[in-house]
Amino acid sequence: MAAMSDAPASTSASTPAAAPATAPGFDDMTRDIADVPAVEVITTVAVHLMSAAAVNLGLAESGEQHKDLDEARKLIQALAGLVTAGATEISSFHAAPLRDGLKSLQLAFREASLVPDEPGQGPGEKFTGPVYG
């Protein structure tokens, strides 16, 4: 029995298995921000702003639980500035869907507001002009 205690312990469920030789390391799965094209950075930021605004408009799965029109207004305003300023830099191919998403959020904001803003006074409309349904 004493000989068994000197033997190396076998691999158990709590010991991680050795990674296959072909598994990429963390450094291989990340990329330097300098390697990311500007259009990708701009569109990614725009999508994050859109998603956050949608949640704050109560359009997410949890709906009314996260509704905060003050926060949504700020996010839509920032999105409008980004889309308007970045549109000439990222081409119509990338800017058109961002403009469509922005307009949808602006209309959803107007619909969600108890006292809707006048056309031209809603979030982001100083950048986009009045938004009509």
Side-chain angles (χ1 to χ4, degrees), residues 11-20:
T11 304
S12 66
S14 64
T15 306

Side-chain angles (χ1 to χ4, degrees), residues 19-25 28:
T22 60
D28 296 329

Side-chain angles (χ1 to χ4, degrees), residues 94-117:
H94 295 286
L98 297 177
R99 283 191 193 108
D100 291 343
L102 171 59
K103 181 178 179 180
S104 295
L105 290 169
Q106 289 171 312
L107 292 171
F109 183 91
R110 181 166 286 132
E111 189 175 302
S113 298
L114 295 176
V115 180
D117 296 314

Side-chain angles (χ1 to χ4, degrees), residues 38-40 42 82-92 94-95 99:
V39 66
E40 189 175 333
I42 293 167
L82 177 64
V83 170
T84 302
T88 58
E89 305 300 325
I90 63 173
S91 80
S92 293
H94 295 286
R99 283 191 193 108

Side-chain angles (χ1 to χ4, degrees), residues 12-86:
S12 66
S14 64
T15 306
T22 60
F26 179 77
D27 290 336
D28 296 329
M29 295 188 308
T30 61
R31 59 184 177 163
D32 193 305
I33 192 71
D35 297 333
V36 181
V39 66
E40 189 175 333
V41 173
I42 293 167
T43 55
T44 299
V45 170
V47 168
H48 283 288
L49 288 168
M50 283 183 186
S51 298
V55 168
N56 283 289
L57 286 171
L59 302 176
E61 195 173 298
S62 53
E64 294 291 320
Q65 179 181 348
H66 298 289
K67 190 172 183 178
D68 185 338
L69 295 183
D70 185 51
E71 289 293 303
R73 179 183 291 277
K74 293 171 188 171
L75 292 162
I76 294 169
Q77 183 79 5
L79 175 62
L82 177 64
V83 170
T84 302

